[in-house]
Amino acid sequence: MQTLNNMLERLPMKETHRLGIPILPGGLPLVGHAPFNLGDTLTFLRAAEAKVGPIFWMRSFGSEMQLVCMGEPGFELLKNRVTSSEFIRDQAPEFIGDALLSQDGARHRNLRTPMSGPFTPRGLSSSGAATLSAEVIEASVASLPSSRPFSLIAETQKFALDIIFRVMGIDRSEIEEFNTNYREFTLGAFPLKLDLPYSPRWRARRGRAWLDARFSSLIAAARGRPEMPGTLSAMLAARDTEGQPLKDDDLISNLRLLALAGHETTASTMAWLGLVLAQRPDLWEKLREEATAAPGLPRSPEELKRHPFAEALFREVIRLYPPVSSTAREATEDLTLHGKLVPKGTMITVPLGTYGYDPANFPEPEKFDPSRWLGRRVPPSSVETAPFGGGPHFCLGYHLAWVEVVQFATAFARELSRRGVRPQLAPGVAPPKLRYLPFGQPPKKALIEFVPVV
């Protein structure tokens, strides 16, 4: 036994810290913590913080590691100018391209300036985008099945895509073809280098070529019709910091990703909202009272003020079921996080989804409580809107998501009230849990049904 102990003492000790920062224990050979970080990501990261603190290294595939930074320093990291997101372009150049997501500094500001205005509540109203969204949502909710259980996420994915394309000026007759090519294009997000006919990379490039050609035609048509409703015409009319309009290539790069991110995340939020209402008759009744008292769906900032409970539901759903779990930055110079020196070039993950579970910001964070958002005289703080990011890269579609989800909640309550029914989980369906693969969407097997109001 003594000989064995002597041998063990001579073996190299397993690394527990790097640069004075703890390495999260429990990683598996070859795959590290990756299996634990798939699925219930937010629970895993919160447990990791409780174990080793708010900044730690997490083992990835092979010998790679990623630095995770939580708490206020992590969120502040998104606001400063010592980190960059330009590395994203190198990871998936054909998928990301030169979109806003991969830009920083003056180039980012020059692109963001003309794109921001059309996506404010006032811009969405004046361009007619909010009205187009309301029309699609009203018609889509009216078509939800009455006589059988169904997957709400499957339905919201359909009409969220319809909404985002309609506000861009795409005709409904083209939705299916756009959807097919978008599914092909998204294959480019996976870092697969094989480039043979019909391989994922080949298909992604084909899908992108189709989308780019179609967006180019839409831009040309919109330039000839300045009165056309929707965000595309508004973006064409906007000017950058130098007083110049956006170039076609810049428009196309950003329209591709706006459509993708805009419909996947909003579809998820709508579906979670419906699933919460299916489990909480008390919340359903409050929403129904507010929705039926209004003359219709809100289409302007003034009309949004008539729907404080629907907005509170939106904010509470986003807090507990954030569509995106994290974001990443690369340090462009040495910096200090939680008192630790982090060298230039370090990749840092900021888990945006965990901020909604911080009891310092939200008392009883596990409790779904829309009342925490009611009666406030100040807008939500930057930490309270953390699921949408922070700093210069704060989500461009934040206000569009807000408008769409409030419209959906209102239309959902008004339509079901007209039918004399309310939502509930289908028999045998357990309350769904949040999982990330890659977005935080509810499982399609989480069926709901409509039952008569007694």
Side-chain angles (χ1 to χ4, degrees):
M1 180 63 72
Q2 186 63 41
T3 303
L4 178 60
N5 287 337
N6 290 338
M7 291 175 61
L8 291 173
E9 288 175 2
R10 293 191 183 98
L11 291 174
M13 295 294 291
K14 188 174 182 180
E15 188 181 21
T16 60
H17 287 71
R18 178 174 290 186
L19 301 175
I21 299 170
I23 298 172
L24 184 66
L28 300 175
L30 301 180
V31 294
H33 297 98
F36 310 113
N37 197 32
L38 294 174
D40 196 357
T41 301
L42 301 186
T43 299
F44 169 74
L45 290 171
R46 288 155 56 208
E49 181 185 21
K51 182 179 294 184
V52 297
I55 181 170
F56 54 89
W57 296 98
M58 190 166 64
R59 297 183 186 276
S60 186
F61 293 99
S63 60
E64 293 185 8
M65 288 195 187
Q66 62 183 108
L67 185 64
V68 179
C69 186
M70 303 172 72
E72 188 64 22
F75 192 73
E76 289 299 317
L77 188 71
L78 303 179
K79 303 178 185 179
N80 63 36
R81 301 189 180 191
V82 295
T83 62
S84 171
S85 62
E86 293 183 353
F87 69 92
I88 299 173
R89 185 192 306 113
D90 298 329
Q91 290 184 344
E94 294 179 355
F95 183 69
I96 300 297
D98 291 323
L100 273 172
L101 191 62
S102 66
Q103 303 291 336
D104 282 298
R107 168 68 173 162
H108 178 268
R109 289 192 297 274
N110 213 36
L111 280 174
R112 176 105 184 187
T113 297
M115 297 181 68
S116 294
F119 285 94
T120 63
R122 186 68 61 189
L124 293 168
S125 177
S126 63
S127 70
T131 295
L132 289 171
S133 172
E135 291 172 355
V136 173
I137 287 174
E138 210 157 29
S140 300
V141 170
S143 69
L144 292 175
S146 290
S147 58
R148 59 175 175 82
F150 64 94
S151 169
L152 188 55
I153 182 63
E155 297 296 328
T156 59
Q157 282 177 328
K158 292 176 188 175
F159 58 78
L161 188 65
D162 195 347
I163 294 167
I164 200 72
F165 283 159
R166 284 288 302 284
V167 301
M168 288 182 179
I170 298 169
D171 189 82
R172 276 183 171 172
S173 63
E174 298 180 286
I175 294 295
E176 186 173 346
E177 195 169 8
F178 260 94
N179 194 11
T180 298
N181 283 280
Y182 251 100
R183 297 302 173 191
E184 295 282 287
F185 167 62
T186 56
L187 294 173
F190 298 96
L192 301 174
K193 302 299 183 183
L194 186 67
D195 194 10
L196 298 174
Y198 301 100
S199 66
R201 188 175 181 183
W202 183 90
R203 290 167 58 191
R205 192 164 55 248
R206 181 179 62 176
R208 171 174 164 160
W210 187 94
L211 291 168
D212 288 1
R214 192 66 194 97
F215 277 131
S216 180
S217 297
L218 286 169
I219 290 168
R223 288 194 191 282
R225 292 181 55 203
E227 78 289 350
M228 186 175 74
T231 56
L232 180 54
S233 291
M235 289 166 68
L236 289 172
R239 295 294 181 268
D240 63 19
T241 54
E242 299 174 355
Q244 299 299 314
L246 283 168
K247 298 177 181 177
D248 284 10
D249 287 348
D250 290 331
L251 275 167
I252 290 170
S253 293
N254 286 287
L255 286 172
R256 267 195 259 109
L257 289 182
L258 277 171
L260 174 66
H263 91 271
E264 289 285 1
T265 55
T266 304
S268 173
T269 305
M270 291 177 180
W272 279 118
L273 190 149
L275 288 165
V276 167
L277 294 172
Q279 300 170 73
R280 293 284 301 273
D282 58 323
L283 301 181
W284 170 255
E285 185 56 29
K286 289 181 181 179
L287 175 63
R288 189 197 65 77
E289 290 176 359
E290 178 181 271
T292 54
L297 273 58
R299 291 167 164 80
S300 68
E302 292 72 24
E303 292 176 2
L304 279 169
K305 294 176 183 177
R306 300 175 187 162
H307 301 267
F309 191 70
E311 180 183 340
L313 286 172
F314 159 68
R315 299 200 180 281
E316 193 69 346
V317 167
I318 284 289
R319 181 182 74 82
L320 281 173
Y321 304 99
V324 179
S325 65
S326 62
T327 188
R329 295 290 187 270
E330 180 180 10
T332 54
E333 59 184 70
D334 294 349
L335 52 89
T336 301
L337 296 173
H338 289 287
K340 303 295 183 180
L341 180 65
V342 176
K344 176 182 177 179
T346 303
M347 299 296 301
I348 308 165
T349 294
V350 181
L352 299 173
T354 61
Y355 289 91
Y357 288 85
D358 186 347
N361 298 320
F362 301 97
E364 297 184 88
E366 304 285 348
K367 181 181 179 182
F368 190 96
D369 182 14
S371 68
R372 70 176 84 237
W373 302 100
L374 297 173
R376 297 170 44 138
R377 296 186 178 181
V378 294
S381 68
S382 58
V383 171
E384 289 174 326
T385 57
F388 292 92
H393 285 276
F394 185 77
C395 178
L396 188 67
Y398 164 67
H399 290 110
L400 179 59
W402 171 12
V403 170
E404 288 177 357
V405 176
V406 170
Q407 288 178 338
F408 167 75
T410 304
F412 195 57
R414 288 171 65 87
E415 174 63 22
L416 269 60
S417 181
R418 183 188 65 79
R419 299 186 195 183
V421 297
R422 62 175 178 82
Q424 71 172 24
L425 293 180
V429 173
K433 295 182 179 181
L434 183 62
R435 296 285 186 271
Y436 286 96
L437 286 171
F439 295 109
Q441 295 175 341
K444 290 193 175 181
K445 64 182 180 181
L447 307 182
I448 69 168
E449 63 179 2
F450 300 148
V451 295
V453 175
V454 179

